[in-house]
Amino acid sequence: MTSSLPLLASAPLVAGMMGAALIGATPVHAPKPVSPAPAPQADVVEHVAARSSHEQRRVLDYWTPARMSKALPIDLLGTVARTALPRDGGLLSGLSNKAGVATAPELSGAAGKIVTPRRLSARPTATTSGSRWGTGGLVTRTTGRVFLTMDGVDFVCSASTVRSANKDVVVTAGHCVKDGKGSWAGNWTFVPGYEPGGGKPYGSYTARRMFVAGPWSRSGDDSYDVGMVALNTSGGRHVADAVGTQEIAFNPSRGGQVYGFGFPADPPFDGEELIYCSGRVTDDPHGQTRDQGLRCDMTAGSSGGPWLTSFDVTTGRGKVTSVSSFKYSNDHGTMYGPYFGDSAKALFATAERA
């Protein structure tokens, strides 16, 4: 999808490393409302990941504490690779693609992080643009960090377990699984209930099979920036048995109250703690996607984190109806997430049978 707006894309979204030209850009033309046609129900693209025990062990051994600590938010993908030739259709291919969550304008990457105190409410609030989650509950176990390699560079994202027939499915952003029309992720590993300092209280789960919608795989269409991953067991246990699951729901009413969770890793955050945003979501005001927006200050690294409706702040249970996907460059305070319609439903149906 091409937009005349300046966008925070995986390649150019790294504002601090791209300079003021992007951040201060003025659109040449006002965007016209677009209503993308729903993808065909069975339009699912699959990739086989670590199937054999040997391959699973190789991936687990790959993620040493040093590699985990140095992994960059996936949204820096374009910057670390921008000296290479652009690849047609991937997130490196132009300023018009907006997939990916924004990094802070001042700093990007793992070096020189500035960590400022984050809000910690005595009890969760119905409206916050970014606070540390300190209430506990199921969401602290089902939400985790994802570690992956894309085009030879190690990255991090966020993800959540969801209830599925095979007890193995997690949901995340499509760009945390596949670089649009470009590469699939390798060394994909989910750490549920991640704890500061690289803690893995429930183990690490490697990817067995990965799924994205056709419009994401073919053109990086942000309305379909959803990825589903079927995991291998860890220590003989399914992830659902180890940590529990959130419900997943499709074709919900638009608008309404949402709680978004993730592990933002760019300043002022450091990726070590679970952060949440909460409030009512609204339609994309530019009409460029079918996504909905949530006021949220979370930065790169939170990509793929779950958005929960019907959320109970006491138990930490809810229904996953979207994931963190991108921000526009002229609005750093709003996170957008894809609407879970028939395409996401077909994606899930395929993943839970894997």
Side-chain angles (χ1 to χ4, degrees):
M1 176 180 297
T2 301
S3 169
S4 59
L5 284 176
L7 304 173
L8 285 172
S10 254
L13 68 74
V14 190
M17 304 187 78
M18 293 301 290
L22 173 64
I23 296 305
T26 301
V28 177
H29 302 290
K32 297 179 180 180
V34 176
S35 298
Q41 187 169 358
D43 194 0
V44 175
V45 181
E46 175 185 353
H47 175 72
V48 176
R51 295 293 293 270
S52 70
S53 58
H54 173 76
E55 183 65 9
Q56 292 172 46
R57 175 46 53 189
R58 185 200 65 77
V59 173
L60 292 172
D61 289 345
Y62 179 84
W63 289 111
T64 63
R67 281 200 173 106
M68 291 175 66
S69 66
K70 293 177 181 178
L72 302 172
I74 187 65
D75 316 286
L76 301 185
L77 172 60
T79 297
V80 298
R82 65 192 171 102
T83 56
L85 292 175
R87 290 177 287 103
D88 180 35
L91 298 185
L92 310 184
S93 60
L95 295 180
S96 64
N97 191 302
K98 58 191 168 299
V101 178
T103 61
E106 296 81 9
L107 288 172
S108 298
K113 285 197 179 298
I114 297 174
V115 181
T116 59
R118 286 164 306 275
R119 297 180 289 278
L120 177 59
S121 305
R123 59 193 302 270
T125 61
T127 304
T128 178
S129 60
S131 299
R132 183 156 55 92
W133 182 259
T135 310
L138 181 65
V139 72
T140 63
R141 303 192 301 274
T142 58
T143 311
R145 297 190 82 185
V146 172
F147 296 86
L148 62 117
T149 304
M150 190 86 76
D151 294 331
V153 182
D154 295 334
F155 294 106
V156 290
C157 276
S158 301
S160 174
T161 62
V162 289
R163 187 166 68 88
S164 61
N166 59 12
K167 301 184 179 181
D168 294 330
V169 176
V170 294
V171 61
T172 186
H175 69 269
C176 295
V177 174
K178 189 177 188 294
D179 175 21
K181 192 177 178 181
S183 305
W184 286 92
N187 299 322
W188 206 97
T189 304
F190 176 63
V191 180
Y194 177 89
E195 293 182 345
K200 307 173 187 177
Y202 308 102
S204 297
Y205 294 78
T206 58
R208 176 163 46 88
R209 294 169 67 182
M210 310 162 87
F211 306 89
V212 296
W216 177 258
S217 181
R218 290 190 296 271
S219 62
D221 185 335
D222 295 291
S223 293
Y224 302 93
D225 186 17
V226 184
M228 304 273 183
V229 178
L231 304 173
N232 291 299
T233 57
S234 177
R237 300 187 72 190
H238 296 281
V239 69
D241 293 332
V243 303
T245 59
Q246 301 290 349
E247 296 294 321
I248 187 168
F250 306 98
N251 295 304
S253 299
R254 298 184 71 88
Q257 178 75 21
V258 165
Y259 285 77
F261 292 84
F263 289 88
D266 220 56
F269 307 102
D270 60 7
E272 293 295 298
E273 295 173 312
L274 184 63
I275 305 298
Y276 80 104
C277 298
S278 58
R280 300 188 70 83
V281 293
T282 57
D283 288 342
D284 182 345
H286 307 299
Q288 297 298 303
T289 68
R290 299 181 68 241
D291 292 30
Q292 297 182 102
L294 172 68
R295 297 302 295 175
C296 189
D297 294 331
M298 284 198 286
T299 58
S302 61
S303 285
W307 290 18
L308 295 130
T309 58
S310 303
F311 184 69
D312 186 325
V313 297
T314 302
T315 64
R317 293 178 179 275
K319 297 178 180 179
V320 180
T321 54
S322 188
V323 293
S324 293
S325 176
F326 74 88
K327 289 184 175 183
Y328 284 104
S329 63
N330 62 351
D331 182 8
H332 292 190
T334 304
M335 182 81 74
Y336 288 88
Y339 179 79
F340 277 17
D342 289 342
S343 176
K345 186 176 182 179
L347 202 62
F348 173 72
T350 304
E352 75 167 345
R353 292 194 301 265

